[in-house]
Amino acid sequence: MLIVEDDAAIASGLVRVLDAQGYDVRRIDRGAGAVAAAREHRAVLVLLDLGLPDVDGIEVCRRLRAELDGIGILIVSARDQELDVVAGLDAGADDYLVKPFRLSELLARVRAATRRAGPTIPAEAEVLTAGDLRVDLSARRVFRGDEEVHLRPKELELLALFVRESGRAVTRARIMRDVWDTEWMGSTKTLDTHVLALRSKIGPESITTLRGVGYRFDPT
Ligand code: CA
């Protein structure tokens, strides 16, 4: 899920709430990169603010709809004039939520929008395999042989990255950028915790620590 929102306080609140619900959330603060970010992260749903500093949200909505046909677009805006709502829906938005909103209302709209959008995004239908490990990105499920391994959202993304790069060194900086969408600032506590969790769930022998570099995944 991609959040396009320039207000840092609103954005971090949204990220926290949706992340806690198990959604894989990315956020950008400008409209210009929205289509590329949605494509790159294979977003099923975009939460879109209208009052952005560079491109008007209605225009961003139009571009998203033109480029990514099946994606869900939920406008989340303080603009509550009927004209804005109509313009948003005309520009291809699926739904419109006016700020301030109740949390339960937001979550209900997000659930409805992801249900509608989910199955129509072909890029999500991807299965990665390595040895007896199968990562089904469309279903967000992981199997070792016939047995399902239950991973948290970030653990699944980390594993997907490792599997894609099987047998190759993956640097910490790359992991922080790809999985956490952040530049590596020196602290890797979160990353280490997730690697520990992955090792305990998929087997300690498959992930090798490369001191001063990062990790390497080898299928077993
Ligand atoms: Ca704004």
Side-chain angles (χ1 to χ4, degrees):
M1 182 182 314
L2 178 70
I3 296 174
V4 186
E5 170 65 76
D6 60 313
D7 184 307
I10 294 176
S12 68
L14 285 173
V15 169
R16 198 169 48 240
V17 165
L18 293 165
D19 189 63
Q21 295 289 316
Y23 293 105
D24 174 21
V25 190
R26 312 291 177 123
R27 177 242 175 174
I28 57 173
D29 62 359
R30 294 285 187 279
V35 170
R39 186 176 279 137
E40 183 187 343
H41 301 312
R42 290 193 289 274
V44 169
L45 176 66
V46 178
L47 265 55
L48 177 64
D49 178 30
L50 290 187
L52 295 165
D54 56 344
V55 187
D56 186 83
I58 297 288
E59 176 57 28
V60 175
C61 183
R62 207 170 280 131
R63 289 181 198 170
L64 282 166
R65 179 54 70 228
E67 297 284 327
L68 301 162
D69 194 34
I71 202 163
I73 305 172
L74 171 56
I75 290 178
V76 183
S77 174
R79 292 196 213 159
D80 62 347
Q81 299 300 311
E82 206 184 323
L83 271 178
D84 287 315
V85 178
V86 170
L89 297 176
D90 276 353
D94 299 293
D95 205 352
Y96 198 110
L97 185 60
V98 176
K99 295 174 190 165
F101 46 80
R102 286 202 314 274
L103 215 50
S104 55
E105 169 105 54
L106 169 78
L107 293 176
R109 304 283 188 101
V110 165
R111 273 195 302 274
T114 45
R115 252 200 315 275
R116 270 197 306 274
T120 63
I121 306 278
E124 283 269 337
E126 197 182 344
V127 178
L128 305 170
T129 56
D132 60 352
L133 205 60
R134 192 157 53 87
V135 183
D136 185 336
L137 292 171
S138 57
R140 312 232 6 123
R141 296 172 81 182
V142 174
F143 297 88
R144 162 137 265 172
D146 291 332
E147 209 161 309
E148 181 159 13
V149 183
H150 295 279
L151 299 184
R152 296 173 55 84
K154 291 296 187 197
E155 292 167 4
L156 189 142
E157 276 185 57
L158 182 57
L159 180 61
L161 174 60
F162 281 153
V163 170
R164 282 197 185 99
E165 298 294 331
S166 274
R168 286 189 287 269
V170 186
T171 64
R172 287 172 175 269
R174 160 107 190 262
I175 297 171
M176 294 313 289
R177 200 173 54 236
D178 283 14
V179 177
W180 277 276
D181 225 11
T182 177
E183 290 305 317
W184 180 41
M185 301 300 281
S187 165
T188 55
K189 197 159 181 293
T190 307
L191 169 54
D192 295 336
T193 310
H194 280 74
V195 169
L196 273 180
L198 263 189
R199 280 188 174 131
S200 78
K201 291 177 182 180
I202 64 163
E205 71 285 1
S206 52
I207 303 171
T208 307
T209 302
L210 306 172
R211 283 182 66 91
V213 178
Y215 296 97
R216 190 188 62 236
F217 171 82
D218 297 293
T220 48

